[in-house]
Amino acid sequence: MKDTSRPRWMTLLKAAPILVCVLLLIWFLAAGDGISVDTILSYTPRNPVLAALLLLALYGVKSLTIVFPILLLQVAAGHLFPTGVALVVNLLGLVVDLTIPFWIGRASGSGLIQKLTKRFPKLEGLLGIQQNNTFFLSFFLRVINCLPGDVISMYLGATGTPYLTFLAGQMLGSLPSTICATVLGSSISDPLSPKFILALLLTILIAVSSSLFYYLYKKKTKKKSEPPTPSSDRDGGPPVS
């Protein structure tokens, strides 16, 4: 009797994370007006410790919704706390944001890989890279920002990537944008200040560089995958065998 009930419980446990994602996504979309920095700040307690804990909880919610922009939380933290403290809060929040979907992917198993690659075809060509260097893949995917971060975390968790390797690569790849967003939030009340303008320009530069880097990478991999053009002699004859 125990042997027959165990697989059902395992199935429910594996399905539970996906169900949570779906419910939170429905809740997010049903909100209608969306969530802005002002909305987050309006619900933030004045106590610094409680405010930090609330932001970390929001990072956890964000990790399950996929469509929630992490930039809003990073800017909100930058506005609420001194820059150094805000950066620590955002880095801790990033750990939360990366960890939850990673372990959802790990618990869901290989079946999730097929669903994600079907939904996001860009993932199909990553298994070869992952076998060679999982740290580089974790870092690379965060830098180029070609897919939702939570999807990447789920995928890497489902493929058995070592957690610490995944976390180190993702954190390193996220560091420049996290710093810029934190500084942006610290000066958001004065949008004409050099500090705000510089942070905004750097944020845009990171986004543009990420897109350009991904474009060049796709162009290079596409060129490698193309069959070589048959060579011919000077008289235009058939290819030399």
Side-chain angles (χ1 to χ4, degrees), residues 94-111:
L94 189 58
V95 172
V96 174
D97 176 59
L98 294 172
T99 298
I100 293 176
F102 176 88
W103 288 109
I104 288 176
R106 182 63 57 86
S108 300
S110 58

Side-chain angles (χ1 to χ4, degrees), residues 37-52:
V37 174
D38 290 335
T39 305
I40 295 171
L41 295 176
S42 66
Y43 287 98
T44 304
R46 293 187 177 182
N47 184 290
V49 176
L50 293 178

Side-chain angles (χ1 to χ4, degrees), residues 25-223:
L25 180 59
I26 293 173
W27 169 80
F28 176 78
L29 295 176
D33 296 333
I35 299 178
S36 64
V37 174
D38 290 335
T39 305
I40 295 171
L41 295 176
S42 66
Y43 287 98
T44 304
R46 293 187 177 182
N47 184 290
V49 176
L50 293 178
L53 291 176
L54 176 61
L55 278 177
L56 293 179
L58 289 176
Y59 269 103
V61 173
K62 180 264 167 215
S63 71
L64 296 173
T65 58
I66 298 177
V67 295
F68 191 106
I70 194 173
L71 181 66
L72 295 181
L73 295 177
Q74 294 172 337
V75 170
H79 184 71
L80 286 169
F81 304 102
T83 304
V85 176
L87 183 59
V88 172
V89 171
N90 279 334
L91 290 176
L92 290 175
L94 189 58
V95 172
V96 174
D97 176 59
L98 294 172
T99 298
I100 293 176
F102 176 88
W103 288 109
I104 288 176
R106 182 63 57 86
S108 300
S110 58
L112 183 62
I113 300 176
Q114 298 176 354
K115 294 179 181 179
L116 289 177
T117 51
K118 185 177 180 180
R119 175 68 179 83
F120 302 94
K122 293 178 182 179
L123 290 170
E124 291 180 349
L126 299 178
L127 283 173
I129 301 176
Q130 187 176 10
Q131 292 173 357
N132 295 329
N133 194 326
T134 53
F135 173 80
F136 172 76
L137 178 63
S138 300
F139 170 78
F140 177 72
L141 288 176
R142 202 71 188 186
V143 169
I144 62 175
N145 199 26
C146 65
L147 290 166
D150 303 322
V151 171
I152 293 172
S153 297
M154 287 184 186
Y155 171 82
L156 294 177
T159 54
T161 301
Y163 172 69
L164 292 180
T165 301
F166 152 81
L167 188 62
Q170 290 275 292
M171 291 291 289
L172 185 61
S174 303
L175 190 58
S177 59
T178 301
I179 294 174
C180 287
T182 303
V183 175
L184 195 65
S186 68
S187 55
I188 197 171
S189 58
D190 186 10
L192 296 179
S193 65
K195 186 178 179 181
F196 179 88
I197 294 174
L198 179 60
L200 181 61
L201 290 177
L202 287 175
T203 301
I204 296 173
L205 179 62
I206 290 173
V208 173
S209 300
S210 170
S211 301
L212 180 61
F213 188 40
Y214 179 67
Y215 169 77
L216 294 175
Y217 167 77
K218 289 294 294 182
K219 186 176 181 180
K220 183 178 179 180
T221 53
K222 182 179 180 181
K223 187 175 182 180

